[in-house]
Amino acid sequence: MRIAFCSSEVYPFAKTGGLADVSGSLPLSLAALGHQVKIFMPWYKGIEPEKHFDDFATREYQGIEVIFIKNEHFFKRDYLYTTDKGDYPDNLERFSFFSRQILKVLKELNFSPDIIHNNDWQTSLVSMYLKIFYNDDDFFQDTKTILTIHNLVFQGIFNKKDFEHLGISWDYFNMHYLEFYGKINLLKGGIIFSDAITTVSPTYARQIQTNEFGCGLEGVLTEKKDRLKGILNGINYKIWNPKEDDFIYKKYAKSLKAKLKNKFNLQKEMKLAQDKDILLFGMVSRLTEQKGLDILTESIEEMLKKSQLIILGTGDLKYHKKLRKIQKNNKERFSLHIGFDEALAHKIYAASDVFLLPSRFEPCGLSQLISFKYGAIPLVNLTGGLVDTVSDLSKSGSGFTLKKYNRNSLIKLFKRAQRLFKDKKKWNSIVKANMKKDFSWKKAAKQYLNLYQDLSNE
Ligand code: ADP
Ligand code: GLC
């Protein structure tokens, strides 16, 4: 099949979170199964393409052609979507331009796709432009569209006054199309115009049809439930594998002694006591309410009485401040890094005994899958994709799971981890079993292909 994979961030070219991991790996697995795949993303600052054309530039990545849509004014900026002062005010213009341009460039490349696979609000309008502007165009006659929702909280909501920038008739500004409580909702448009919708875990696919998790779109999603499917993400073991990881201090496959060297070295680098018997918690995350920062910041001091903690992340200023304050009072036990740092992220996965992911909600979550591979036991709240990937150790599972989403429950769980850590034999056998788990993309890629095939046969 011919597949155009469209995303606003793709690892290793641009990344703010898991969407980039997915966009930089799922297409490779689809190609490995014998399909023709091209990736489309904006040409951001810092990216260096190999070939240049009028509207776009290209580069090979692991055998796949990546197409960077050109527009200096829109994309050569310091950030992808948001600065310290808030979202770029012209995000609707930027990403509707990107979406529309993808279709134009597909024609310029003479690449007539069987499937256009879009991701999140930034590319959700590709399917709308296809149906509005190219309905009678033979070139796209057999093209079907799918939209993957990675996080329903981000919908691309804009003021009505921006509507003119979309270049479509005002007829589409009503509740059956893009209008959402008087505003424009790009994700809603994507849901309505796409031939199929997926999200990144089976549990989240069910949750988003409820009031609690639907973020106002539960009605629209429930209406389309026959076309909505949850497909669990995988991870790329060429990038996330302690055996081949150039970022970490000491590579390891099975030897937990070698893993320990990573702990010692990171403790040293972070100016924490070099002690193998103190439990080291690690976290690499967007610092937002989604990721459990509210209950976490209330519980850290209790945790630090008997453990060390390293956090790498960036997000809400409110949490930067709170964490900085806690860190100031607990320098010997808590190392804090506000920012985005790929190398340090790898070192933290490799050094940690427990990885923290107490999310309030989590569409899939990749960090728990990465921590399995690196031998850090995940500590999670069972929601969304975490339900589909982690089960409690008391049920011969793979992680520490919260009973309730609150501070007390979290503190109890820290204590449980601290107790179990004393039983090294048991701990190591859990770690070893986790490291053998297989969450590669193979299975998910096949599920996507089945879906593509079903759509093509319609
Ligand atoms: P989300 O996409 O909701 O942020 P995921 O668990 O799906 O969560 O993916 C997060 C990805 O981003 C992981 O690869 C994680 O290691 C990475 N990541 C998050 N924050 C940082 C950071 N500050 N520095 C480096 N990598 C980060
Ligand atoms: C989103 C979600 C996360 C998911 C990632 C990749 O950012 O928050 O749970 O793993 O997308 O699909």
Side-chain angles (χ1 to χ4, degrees):
M1 297 186 98
R2 279 188 305 276
I3 301 152
F5 193 94
C6 311
S7 175
S8 59
E9 52 183 276
V10 181
Y11 181 86
F13 304 107
K15 168 167 168 174
T16 68
L19 170 62
D21 290 283
V22 173
S23 305
S25 49
L26 169 60
L28 305 180
S29 299
L30 295 168
L33 292 169
H35 299 273
Q36 285 183 55
V37 189
K38 290 189 194 296
I39 300 177
F40 288 80
M41 68 174 287
W43 184 3
Y44 296 116
K45 197 169 166 175
I47 295 175
E48 286 175 15
E50 288 157 347
K51 292 187 195 158
H52 293 266
F53 303 86
D54 287 347
D55 292 329
F56 61 96
T58 66
R59 193 191 161 108
E60 283 270 301
Y61 175 61
Q62 299 194 13
I64 288 191
E65 191 175 30
V66 185
I67 290 141
F68 304 102
I69 299 292
K70 253 190 194 173
N71 186 315
E72 294 222 351
H73 170 63
F74 282 155
F75 302 127
K76 293 274 166 82
R77 299 186 183 180
D78 290 338
Y79 299 90
L80 301 196
Y81 325 114
T82 309
T83 71
D84 290 347
K85 295 190 187 83
D87 290 350
Y88 287 121
D90 58 351
N91 274 347
L92 175 138
E93 278 179 84
R94 299 172 72 216
F95 290 101
S96 59
F97 168 83
F98 173 50
S99 301
R100 209 165 152 174
Q101 207 65 1
I102 289 170
L103 296 164
K104 187 171 171 221
V105 169
L106 279 167
K107 289 194 81 168
E108 286 173 22
L109 291 166
N110 198 22
F111 185 78
S112 166
D114 299 297
I115 295 289
I116 305 181
H117 187 155
N118 302 309
N119 294 277
D120 282 348
W121 67 266
Q122 293 91 337
T123 49
S124 66
L125 292 189
V126 178
S127 51
M128 178 188 86
Y129 286 129
L130 181 71
K131 297 225 162 98
I132 295 180
F133 293 132
Y134 296 93
N135 206 24
D136 300 323
D137 191 327
D138 278 351
F139 186 83
F140 290 115
Q141 202 186 344
D142 297 322
T143 303
K144 293 285 165 51
T145 55
I146 100 161
L147 171 66
T148 297
I149 300 171
H150 295 262
N151 192 339
L152 195 58
V153 161
F154 303 112
Q155 299 182 2
I157 295 179
F158 298 93
N159 287 326
K160 184 178 171 184
K161 69 169 175 39
D162 280 348
F163 194 83
E164 56 180 4
H165 296 303
L166 293 174
I168 56 171
S169 153
W170 277 96
D171 292 349
Y172 295 104
F173 190 75
N174 66 55
M175 62 178 283
H176 301 294
Y177 294 102
L178 299 190
E179 189 267 344
F180 184 73
Y181 299 101
K183 296 195 167 185
I184 307 163
N185 185 325
L186 301 191
L187 192 72
K188 182 181 173 194
I191 294 169
I192 284 163
F193 281 100
S194 297
D195 297 309
I197 317 296
T198 68
T199 186
V200 288
S201 70
T203 297
Y204 194 59
R206 286 190 294 276
Q207 287 178 324
I208 57 176
Q209 297 177 54
T210 65
N211 286 344
E212 194 185 346
F213 294 97
C215 306
L217 288 178
E218 57 276 8
V220 183
L221 287 162
T222 307
E223 235 169 72
K224 262 199 130 158
K225 70 168 187 287
D226 295 340
R227 299 200 153 254
L228 168 65
K229 197 177 158 69
I231 299 180
L232 191 71
N233 284 332
I235 54 170
N236 183 348
Y237 287 123
K238 283 208 177 105
I239 288 161
W240 296 113
N241 188 347
K243 199 174 155 191
E244 297 167 18
D245 192 331
D246 289 327
F247 288 121
I248 64 178
Y249 298 102
K250 171 101 186 136
K251 296 180 189 170
Y252 58 102
K254 287 187 189 134
S255 160
L256 297 185
K257 272 200 188 130
K259 177 173 167 64
L260 203 55
K261 291 219 165 112
N262 286 286
K263 180 171 171 178
F264 277 145
N265 279 296
L266 194 60
Q267 281 172 325
K268 189 171 177 200
E269 189 183 328
M270 300 291 120
K271 301 193 173 66
L272 302 172
Q274 279 181 292
D275 181 351
K276 72 173 180 0
D277 293 322
I278 188 159
L279 176 55
L280 175 62
F281 286 95
M283 183 177 204
V284 179
S285 178
R286 289 185 291 111
L287 302 175
T288 62
E289 202 152 296
Q290 173 191 345
K291 302 293 180 179
L293 265 290
D294 51 350
I295 58 168
L296 185 67
T297 46
E298 290 166 7
S299 331
I300 289 180
E301 297 200 284
E302 197 58 41
M303 166 216 273
L304 292 175
K305 288 183 182 161
K306 285 195 179 160
S307 303
Q308 295 174 336
L309 169 66
I310 304 177
I311 295 184
L312 165 65
T314 170
D316 293 352
L317 294 180
K318 171 170 99 175
Y319 293 121
H320 294 185
K321 260 195 202 156
K322 277 195 181 172
L323 288 170
R324 281 202 176 104
K325 199 169 157 206
I326 302 171
Q327 199 268 339
K328 236 176 147 183
N329 298 329
N330 296 276
K331 282 201 175 107
E332 317 75 57
R333 291 251 164 119
F334 177 22
S335 170
L336 173 67
H337 304 265
I338 304 281
F340 199 94
D341 185 337
E342 196 68 36
L344 181 56
H346 284 247
K347 287 180 183 172
I348 294 176
Y349 287 110
S352 304
D353 300 304
V354 172
F355 190 91
L356 297 173
L357 198 60
S359 307
R360 184 181 278 272
F361 67 91
E362 194 62 75
C364 177
L366 301 174
S367 293
Q368 78 279 20
L369 308 181
I370 301 170
S371 10
F372 285 148
K373 190 70 185 173
Y374 282 74
I377 301 179
L379 183 155
V380 307
N381 180 34
L382 285 180
T383 175
L386 297 169
V387 176
D388 301 326
T389 52
V390 184
S391 57
D392 198 85
L393 289 169
S394 62
K395 297 175 186 145
S396 29
S398 52
F400 299 100
T401 70
L402 272 180
K403 285 230 159 57
K404 278 199 179 137
Y405 185 85
N406 64 32
R407 171 181 186 266
N408 281 350
S409 191
L410 187 56
I411 290 175
K412 271 193 195 148
L413 210 51
F414 293 152
K415 293 191 173 155
R416 211 180 125 200
Q418 286 158 346
R419 276 197 305 275
L420 186 69
F421 191 61
K422 294 201 175 107
D423 185 346
K424 284 280 159 13
K425 213 170 148 200
K426 195 161 177 198
W427 187 276
N428 288 348
S429 77
I430 296 163
V431 165
K432 283 192 170 166
N434 282 357
M435 287 173 75
K436 284 192 199 134
K437 288 183 186 296
D438 181 5
F439 284 98
S440 58
W441 271 105
K442 234 189 198 156
K443 193 171 152 202
K446 283 190 185 144
Q447 286 177 287
Y448 279 110
L449 278 169
N450 286 340
L451 178 64
Y452 298 166
Q453 206 69 59
D454 288 349
L455 289 175
S456 288
N457 294 340
E458 275 181 357

